[in-house]
Amino acid sequence: MPTGAITLSAFPSPQDKFYVKSIEANGLDLLRNDLTIAEGEEIKDVRIVISPNVGVVAGSVLSLKG
């Protein structure tokens, strides 16, 4: 991998039954922050939490006029 900031992602399957609840490495929340790596550095102790509690959001979009 090249040095610099990377985005770490996980995709559980099936995606309609599971979601990634958190991804952490060394106390850094990788769902909300990029991971910066240096040349020759290894990524260790990554913790990925997958949850079966998928929810559905429903609603309506309203204009400022109602």
Side-chain angles (χ1 to χ4, degrees):
M1 298 199 81
T3 61
I6 62 165
T7 301
L8 189 62
S9 301
F11 301 95
S13 181
Q15 289 187 357
D16 63 337
K17 297 193 185 289
F18 300 98
Y19 78 101
V20 177
K21 187 172 184 177
S22 67
I23 303 175
E24 295 179 0
N26 297 327
L28 182 64
D29 179 356
L30 298 179
L31 284 179
R32 291 166 184 80
N33 301 288
D34 289 340
L35 181 64
T36 302
I37 58 171
E39 186 173 336
E41 188 175 12
E42 292 183 11
I43 301 171
K44 295 181 181 180
D45 301 322
V46 176
R47 181 175 179 248
I48 301 173
V49 177
I50 297 172
S51 177
N53 299 325
V54 176
V56 176
V57 177
S60 301
V61 177
L62 302 175
S63 71
L64 291 175
K65 296 178 183 178

